Amino acid sequence: MASEFKKKLFWRAVVAEFLATTLFVFISIGSALGFKYPVGNNQTAVQDNVKVSLAFGLSIATLAQSVGHISGAHLNPAVTLGLLLSCQISIFRALMYIIAQCVGAIVAAAILSGITSSLPGNSLGRNDLADGVNSGQGLGIEIIGTLQLVLCVLATTDRRRRDLGGSAPLAIGLSVALGHLLAIDYTGCGINPARSFGSAVITHNFSSDFTDRVKVWTSGQVEEYDLDADDINSRVEMKPK
């Protein structure tokens, strides 16, 4: 831990996680709130789940490609925790990454709160169970959404594979989009706890099913894939070696 603390590259990676998460949350939640404009008495606009899902997925793909060589582009505390449990990163690095991700999400949500202050009942994309969906059912949806994302990450970043082609960040981004297409109508899709945390902090509302989400966030993601960044040459494994 002491050696990491003194490395400039380590703090550059922490800053990269903060900035990338801030951009990710701003873009993704901003797209979800956009359908409420213009504000009017006869508004009949309906949320476009495809647009929102693509915004989440494409933003993850773009940012993973942009900062993967600096921090590993975790952008998700669940991914960071999985790497910690699989002994691929240190406790100190995991802690600093998670703090950076959560602070980045809070900053993005705060900026969006100011920009969208004219919207009545603005939840900033806070996760809530839909009417008729109980906690157990919501947990099941979150598990499936997280499972397919973790499976995609593990499969597309496995160094042992020699059959991979194309872009790993794009594949992971599409997986994120797929998870949102599944879960938005049921839970609002909370497969990224930093994103959920930022909205909850700014709206001062932690009444959603955070206990169930913690169970999902801490499950499954302990297998081996290289998202660590101990030196300048470390990066997400975008193609087989």
Side-chain angles (χ1 to χ4, degrees), residues 61-185:
T62 301
L63 292 167
Q65 187 72 67
S66 301
V67 304
H69 65 291
I70 301 175
S71 67
H74 296 193
L75 308 184
N76 188 329
V79 173
T80 301
L81 182 59
L83 290 167
L84 173 63
L85 295 177
S86 60
C87 301
Q88 298 186 52
I89 59 175
S90 67
I91 294 176
F92 181 61
R93 181 181 288 270
L95 178 62
M96 294 307 300
Y97 272 24
I98 291 173
I99 291 174
Q101 292 156 2
C102 290
V103 172
I106 292 172
V107 170
I111 296 172
L112 278 170
S113 179
I115 293 174
T116 61
S117 59
S118 60
L119 295 179
N122 187 3
S123 67
L124 294 175
R126 188 181 64 247
N127 294 125
D128 288 299
L129 293 173
D131 293 338
V133 178
N134 61 39
S135 295
Q137 293 167 334
L139 175 62
I141 293 294
E142 292 288 318
I143 288 175
I144 297 300
T146 305
L147 175 62
Q148 63 83 29
L149 173 59
V150 174
L151 178 61
C152 179
V153 171
L154 295 178
T156 56
T157 59
D158 188 349
R159 293 193 212 179
R160 297 167 295 180
R161 293 186 63 180
R162 296 293 183 269
D163 61 332
L164 291 175
S167 170
L170 180 58
I172 295 171
L174 290 175
S175 179
V176 171
L178 181 61
H180 282 78
L181 286 170
L182 165 69
I184 284 177
D185 287 331

Side-chain angles (χ1 to χ4, degrees), residues 25-48:
V25 173
F26 184 88
I27 293 169
S28 56
I29 300 302
S31 71
L33 296 176
F35 84 101
K36 294 184 178 181
Y37 284 96
V39 177
N41 294 329
N42 297 320
Q43 181 177 309
T44 58
V46 178
Q47 177 68 281
D48 186 345

